[in-house]
Amino acid sequence: MSADIDGRLKRILVEELDLEEDKLHPDANFEEDLDVDSLGVVELLMALEDEFGVEIPDEEAEQITTVGEAAALIRTKLGS
């Protein structure tokens, strides 16, 4: 299941934010490493909510700075 979550997350990052898949590693920081601005992060979170059927409150969303943190949050939300 975890690999499925990672794969779906990567697909969203590539399709929604037009990022290069080879740059998507767990420690990649959205703003510093991937040049994703705050609007892009909001778009990502909305796409994640749609894709995984979860709700991400603002206080949790503010803590997401890396690809790995986004994946970990989704795993927590899905109980995997």
Side-chain angles (χ1 to χ4, degrees):
M1 179 72 163
S2 182
D4 180 51
I5 290 171
D6 292 342
R8 289 164 67 185
L9 173 60
K10 282 186 178 183
R11 181 182 53 77
I12 290 169
L13 290 167
V14 170
E15 292 176 4
E16 298 291 327
L17 299 180
D18 200 29
L19 299 174
E20 296 177 36
E21 188 170 351
D22 62 338
K23 292 184 178 180
L24 302 177
H25 54 84
D27 295 329
N29 184 289
F30 289 114
E31 293 182 12
E32 295 170 12
D33 300 322
L34 302 173
D35 293 322
V36 176
D37 62 14
S38 57
L39 178 60
V41 173
V42 170
E43 291 173 359
L44 167 64
L45 294 172
M46 291 184 345
L48 292 176
E49 288 178 331
D50 289 344
E51 174 74 19
F52 294 101
V54 298
E55 187 173 322
I56 303 172
D58 290 342
E59 54 272 6
E60 289 180 4
E62 292 169 1
Q63 305 301 314
I64 305 297
T65 59
T66 67
V67 173
E69 290 170 350
L73 178 64
I74 295 301
R75 281 193 283 280
T76 298
K77 294 283 184 186
L78 296 177
S80 345

